[in-house]
Amino acid sequence: MNKAEKDKLQKILTTYLKEIHKIYTEGDFREESFYSCLEKLFGDCSQLFVSKEDVKIRILPKKTEVGIPDFLIRKNGEIIGHAEAKTPDSNLHDVEKSEQIQRYRNGIPNLILTNFLDFRLYRDGKFLKTAEICRFPALEGLSPPVPENISDFSELFSEFYSFSVPEITSASKLAVELAKRAKFLEVVLAEMYDKKEGLGFVSIHHVFQKSLIETLNKERFVDLCAQTITYGLFAAKVMARDKEINRNNAWEFVPGSLDLLKKAFYVMMGPDAPEAISWIVEDIVKVLNKTDISAIYEEAKTVYKQRDPVIQFYETFL
């Protein structure tokens, strides 16, 4: 980062801390009170760290109590990462040990955890960098604090924005990536079930019990749903080959020979699919659209002596 860029970043952070300080000192704030400041910070920084590319920042809805990250960041339409925020007085050393953050780290490949002052970057579950632009006591002063550790912050955000899902060319690598996301999805589905989030989700369980497996308990049901969604998306991508799939068209590509999978997949991915899982589905789709399906076909043909990767992949996935 040259001097002009560093000066611009310092100005961005100075303005950002001024707004954070104003909200904090006025009192009666919640975590969400600071969201607009962080959203603007991501947007302003994208102009410095992402050259001529379209970056969009979305605050994920809080209509549901089911645990989903606070921010989703896209670059040229592709999800590149998420951010989870806590109030400025939060101790991130303690927060990062929580079950929620451990789950996010295990399921989200590019994640920022922040209390709006300290920023921590995790890549594939591992802690990568930290940048504390202001110590919490400084926020309680009469005047807005001056940003610190600007170079560290620059490196962290540059690393965050540089992330891209690599192309996948083997069934084993794809199985690992999809399994991680399926396990994450299972946890969110379990929370949805307990809180009765999503139209008809619990009723699907009752239908499955009545028509398929009488002894199907909640744990097995949410596991079955997570597998159905993830594996259904894989089957759709295999049939779509070079065409990109998305949440709206994926069910059309599920093979007709897998009739039960196709019907169950449509029920779970249809118009009434809950918002709480949409971002995970998007992430799975992102991975699949970056997968070389022709290479997966060749692997099934060469290694397993068969041409149908949809059937062969399921054992690897499990």
Side-chain angles (χ1 to χ4, degrees):
M1 175 171 279
N2 58 40
K3 185 179 185 303
E5 291 171 332
K6 189 171 182 178
D7 289 345
K8 187 174 182 179
L9 180 56
Q10 182 164 2
K11 186 176 180 181
I12 289 172
L13 291 176
T14 298
T15 302
Y16 168 77
L17 286 178
K18 183 177 180 180
E19 289 300 313
I20 295 291
H21 178 263
K22 180 176 183 292
I23 295 169
Y24 182 83
T25 53
E26 285 177 352
D28 194 28
F29 58 80
R30 299 182 302 160
E31 176 189 306
E32 293 84 353
S33 305
F34 302 94
Y35 279 6
S36 60
C37 300
L38 189 58
E39 181 182 22
K40 187 175 187 305
L41 179 65
F42 272 109
D44 290 342
C45 286
S46 70
Q47 299 175 26
L48 282 176
F49 301 111
V50 185
S51 175
K52 297 181 180 179
E53 293 181 274
D54 182 30
V55 173
K56 295 190 182 302
I57 299 91
R58 178 185 171 200
I59 301 175
L60 293 177
K62 288 297 182 184
K63 292 182 293 184
T64 171
E65 292 182 10
V66 173
I68 56 178
D70 298 317
F71 293 83
L72 181 151
I73 296 90
R74 298 176 187 272
K75 184 171 68 177
N76 293 335
E78 177 185 320
I79 298 173
I80 63 164
H82 295 79
E84 175 66 17
K86 302 298 178 184
T87 53
D89 56 352
S90 299
N91 185 327
L92 294 190
H93 287 288
D94 295 332
V95 172
E96 70 178 0
K97 298 173 186 175
S98 68
E99 185 275 335
Q100 179 198 36
I101 301 305
Q102 289 299 316
R103 187 196 333 146
Y104 287 175
R105 288 175 63 175
N106 290 334
I108 298 173
N110 193 36
L111 172 71
I112 284 179
L113 171 64
T114 182
N115 59 7
F116 301 97
L117 306 176
D118 187 6
F119 295 80
R120 298 183 177 215
L121 177 62
Y122 305 90
R123 180 66 52 79
D124 294 320
K126 297 178 180 178
F127 172 77
L128 201 63
K129 293 179 183 295
T130 184
E132 188 175 32
I133 59 170
C134 169
R135 295 180 181 274
F136 174 67
L139 201 61
E140 298 182 303
L142 295 176
S143 301
V146 176
E148 302 175 351
N149 303 313
I150 294 176
S151 294
D152 291 341
F153 180 87
S154 172
E155 290 177 11
L156 187 148
F157 262 62
S158 178
E159 187 77 30
F160 177 80
Y161 276 117
S162 70
F163 178 81
S164 178
V165 174
E167 185 178 54
I168 296 173
T169 58
S170 73
S172 58
K173 175 64 175 173
L174 179 61
V176 168
E177 293 302 317
L178 292 188
K180 285 194 298 186
R181 288 160 175 81
K183 288 171 69 177
F184 194 112
L185 179 58
E186 182 182 348
V187 174
V188 175
L189 288 172
E191 288 188 36
M192 280 176 46
Y193 189 103
D194 291 339
K195 296 180 172 68
K196 295 181 171 53
E197 296 280 357
L199 295 176
F201 183 58
V202 176
S203 66
I204 296 173
H205 181 201
H206 297 153
V207 171
F208 277 24
Q209 281 180 315
K210 186 175 180 179
S211 59
L212 293 174
I213 309 170
E214 187 176 344
T215 58
L216 186 67
N217 60 23
K218 184 197 83 172
E219 288 72 23
R220 290 177 62 197
F221 170 66
V222 296
D223 177 47
L224 175 64
C225 289
Q227 288 189 48
T228 299
I229 292 170
T230 308
Y231 186 68
L233 287 167
F234 166 73
K237 179 57 183 175
V238 168
M239 299 308 293
R241 298 295 289 259
D242 294 334
K243 296 178 182 177
E244 289 202 350
I245 62 169
N246 56 55
R247 178 177 170 177
N248 297 319
N249 71 7
W251 70 273
E252 298 175 5
F253 291 105
V254 176
S257 58
L258 302 174
D259 186 55
L260 181 59
L261 175 65
K262 189 179 183 77
K263 289 177 180 177
F265 182 74
Y266 177 73
V267 169
M268 296 174 199
M269 293 287 294
D272 292 333
E275 180 69 20
I277 68 169
S278 64
W279 66 275
I280 310 178
V281 169
E282 285 188 67
D283 196 41
I284 294 170
V285 166
K286 173 185 67 175
V287 170
L288 288 167
N289 284 330
K290 282 288 192 80
T291 297
D292 186 341
I293 294 298
S294 297
I296 304 294
Y297 262 100
E298 285 302 312
E299 183 178 349
K301 177 181 175 182
T302 304
V303 179
Y304 302 106
K305 311 301 180 186
Q306 64 175 354
R307 292 178 178 272
D308 190 351
V310 175
I311 302 300
Q312 179 57 47
F313 183 78
Y314 192 56
E315 183 177 339
T316 310
F317 171 67
L318 288 179

